[in-house]
Amino acid sequence: MTGNLLEPTSVSALSERFTGRLVTRADADYEDVRSVFNAMLTARPQVIAQCADPRDVAAAIEFARANGLEIAVRSGGHSVAGSCLTDGGLVIDTRPMSEVTVDPALSIARVGGGASWGDFDRATQPFGLATTGGRVSTTGVAGLTLGGGSGWIERKFGLSCDNLLSVELVTADGREVTASEEENPELFWALHGGGGNFGVATALTFRLHRLPEFSMALLLWPADEGRAVAGVYRDLLAGAPDEAGGGLLYLTGPPEEFVPEQLVGRLCCGVLVTYVGGEAALREFIAPLLATGPRGQVVTDIGYADLQCMLDDPPGYRNYWSDENLRALPDEALDRFCERAADMVVPSPSQHALLPWGGAVARGADWPGFDRRTTWAVHPLGLWEDPADDDRAIAWARNLRADMRPWAAGDVYLNFIGDEGTDRVIAGYGEQNYGRLARVKAEFDPDNVFHRWHNVLPAR
């Protein structure tokens, strides 16, 4: 337990000045409201404060601090580290604040702190506009962006945080502040990768980009052909235009029409190529991959928001993720990457992923949550159902990281990992950036109220 046991009268006192809804363990839908993407996270808060506006957020913070309750903040609930739950504490649930307002003339969107990328993409797509979001539609806009914001169209448009124009935040002392290049610029810098360490984001404003055409290819081979495919894919991406994104994945063959029966439910090598442009240009780009004879393939024009929804994994699985970033990908690294795929827990939605960065990502500003020199991310994304598989799944992810260490860049994308210790947190920010973040933390959260995300300790 991370808080004092509350009396019902205490919660009633908060409800008198709370516009949204307060959910406690006595409510019939408590477990549904409490549930998050990772079924391994079983923490049970005493109060879930579903906030309707920033004033609710401020009231919830004041109540939690007065009653000695640990605070967690939830938007999409995808944090594999468990930052969106607290056992015995209070969760500030921003999901009711999910409105998305698009100004097509200025190519900007203002988004509530509880919006998902599905909310965002569905609002911008009718205008032929988009910005980089996550890789599924159910991820929260705020959590992903404040942690950096990697997604399928980042090589063309940069990270989510690269497109951030301002953040409206409620701080630990209940103040409503705005962070932008003009207002609280040091806080604005910190929010480009520093995550939920500085307050509760209640609204974010983004730059949008024209996206009149978008296409994708999903290609599938038997796993024993994966190493040859991986070499072709690596060489193709080395000279790829910014328009191309995606990743090479070992995954379980899904029961889809395009998948041959002999691959369904079996370990496969897949390549997803996303393309900011039409199908004809995409086919020309992926010609070397098509020449290897994929057994299953879909190559088509598609709306960006439709692609995001197509890749949604259902909640309720047990999750363990990690990340090892590389600045080069020699043959020996590819050998080990492909060999380790055999240890995946299959059949399951797990993905043994190799993701290309570069392009606009490499040209972005020096934010604290991303090393622009990284060219590849090796990302074991474990999802499975049976608790008996916990040790095997976690060992697979950790062993893949260990395999990659001879070529590791030393940094880490923190949105991709759980609790892997202080050294990994500092590696994610960089030592110099961590010191600067600690000074911002000391100004806006000197008591370290917000510490559930990869924590930055306030400078003393």
Side-chain angles (χ1 to χ4, degrees), residues 39 46 60 70 101 119 138 152 157 211 247 288 327 330:
Q46 292 191 71
E70 182 180 55
T101 304
D119 298 326
T138 53
W152 296 127
F157 300 129
L211 189 61
R327 292 190 188 141

Side-chain angles (χ1 to χ4, degrees), residues 361-405:
V361 175
R363 300 190 295 271
D366 182 22
W367 305 126
F370 215 89
D371 190 324
R372 303 292 181 167
R373 297 168 294 176
T374 292
T375 55
W376 294 94
V378 173
H379 179 32
L381 180 75
L383 298 92
W384 67 97
E385 292 183 280
D386 190 347
D389 288 325
D390 286 1
D391 291 344
R392 186 158 64 98
I394 293 169
W396 153 68
R398 291 175 175 172
N399 287 337
L400 178 57
R401 270 198 62 217
D403 288 343
M404 295 296 108
R405 257 179 223 133

